[in-house]
Amino acid sequence: MLRGDRKQGTGTTDQHLLDGRGPTDWVHTDPWRVLRIQSEFVEGFGALAEIPRAVTVFGSARTPVDHPEYQAARAIGDALSRAGFAVITGGGPGVMEAANRGAHEAGGFSIGLGIELPMEQGLNEWVDLGINFRYFFARKTMFVKYSQAFICLPGGFGTLDELFEALTLVQTHKITRFPIILFGTRYWSGLVDWLHDSLLGSGKISPGDLSLVQVTDSVEQVVDIVVRAAEGRGEDVIGTEDQW
């Protein structure tokens, strides 16, 4: 990570890769860029290969510390850790920080997968293992490969992006089905209604596709869903409901 005067050029690495405008020097630079992409996958696989089973928590980076959603994410991170799961987030502030904080304070494994952005963000202080990525697609692969469930708290475009990518991968059987949980019924109800009325109503998805998403306001239910899914895969589960 380079800051201040040491930052070279403008834009992000993803932007330079995907922007097809400008001179034809991309013919010479893109083949070498493949090695950088490869290195991100190698580094990610190497760092995460032996982590405990894990759950990814998504949500807004703009959520303030005194907001109820921050406290909910912190409680979720705590509860997941006590149930024997590592907690993975995007490593940033807001909801991500809260989930990492809850996991860290509970003595669990707190993981942050950061991303290069135009605005400097950095990994939050509650991350035990942090990896910074240049490319979104490399980072997304790590979220999917090393998570056994996705929990989405209220968030913006980034949260929606991760949510719908996970839904698509599960729907198309590209990954083994695992829980996708929306936390906050009031926030997500409009989206759920739209999925039912517009997508299902017009035949764009099948009735069973709606069952891929579960919505709740209960931290206990979140952990229960994750634990039951793990038990369904024949895994031993650490923790009890009394701890949650």
Side-chain angles (χ1 to χ4, degrees):
M1 179 174 64
L2 299 176
R3 287 178 168 165
D5 295 337
R6 295 188 178 275
K7 293 180 68 175
Q8 299 177 358
T10 59
T12 65
T13 310
D14 264 329
Q15 183 182 35
H16 296 318
L17 171 65
L18 299 175
D19 194 345
R21 298 169 296 176
T24 58
D25 60 354
W26 64 268
V27 173
H28 307 289
T29 59
D30 276 3
W32 290 104
R33 188 173 284 131
V34 170
L35 297 179
R36 174 179 285 182
I37 294 169
Q38 181 184 44
S39 72
E40 290 212 342
F41 282 105
V42 171
E43 181 180 1
F45 292 153
L48 300 173
E50 297 182 355
I51 66 170
R53 58 189 182 170
V55 174
T56 293
V57 180
F58 294 116
S60 176
R62 305 183 186 190
T63 304
V65 175
D66 58 353
H67 197 284
E69 292 166 3
Y70 185 100
Q71 301 307 321
R74 185 175 174 184
I76 289 171
D78 177 285
L80 287 171
S81 291
R82 294 181 187 279
F85 295 89
V87 173
I88 302 175
T89 77
V95 164
M96 295 175 281
E97 174 187 299
N100 285 135
R101 181 177 179 178
H104 179 88
E105 291 176 335
F109 199 169
S110 175
I111 301 167
L113 306 182
I115 186 67
E116 177 190 59
L117 294 172
M119 56 290 252
E120 295 178 12
Q121 181 169 285
L123 296 172
N124 67 69
E125 63 178 302
W126 304 101
V127 168
D128 300 318
L129 168 62
I131 309 173
N132 273 311
F133 291 86
R134 295 184 178 92
Y135 299 101
F136 268 110
F137 54 83
R139 178 181 183 239
K140 287 180 178 181
T141 299
M142 304 304 154
F143 281 135
V144 173
K145 181 173 176 60
Y146 294 104
S147 296
Q148 297 192 354
F150 279 178
I151 303 168
C152 295
L153 279 83
F157 286 156
T159 301
L160 292 173
D161 175 49
E162 300 290 358
L163 167 62
F164 280 103
E165 178 160 28
L167 283 172
T168 301
L169 290 172
V170 175
Q171 181 202 44
T172 56
H173 305 289
K174 292 295 184 180
I175 57 176
T176 304
R177 178 169 178 164
F178 60 88
I180 300 172
I181 306 166
L182 303 182
F183 188 90
T185 55
R186 183 175 181 181
Y187 186 86
W188 295 110
S189 61
L191 174 62
V192 173
D193 290 343
W194 178 76
L195 293 175
H196 182 275
D197 298 339
S198 295
L199 270 65
L200 181 60
S202 61
K204 301 298 189 298
I205 60 174
S206 300
D209 292 336
L210 289 178
S211 67
L212 300 179
V213 180
Q214 302 181 69
V215 188
T216 183
D217 291 313
S218 167
V219 174
E220 291 78 10
Q221 187 175 8
V222 166
V223 180
D224 185 62
I225 293 170
V226 173
V227 168
R228 290 182 187 279
E231 290 175 338
R233 293 188 292 267
E235 300 174 3
D236 293 330
V237 177
I238 301 173
T240 67
E241 290 187 3
D242 290 338
Q243 291 178 292
W244 309 335

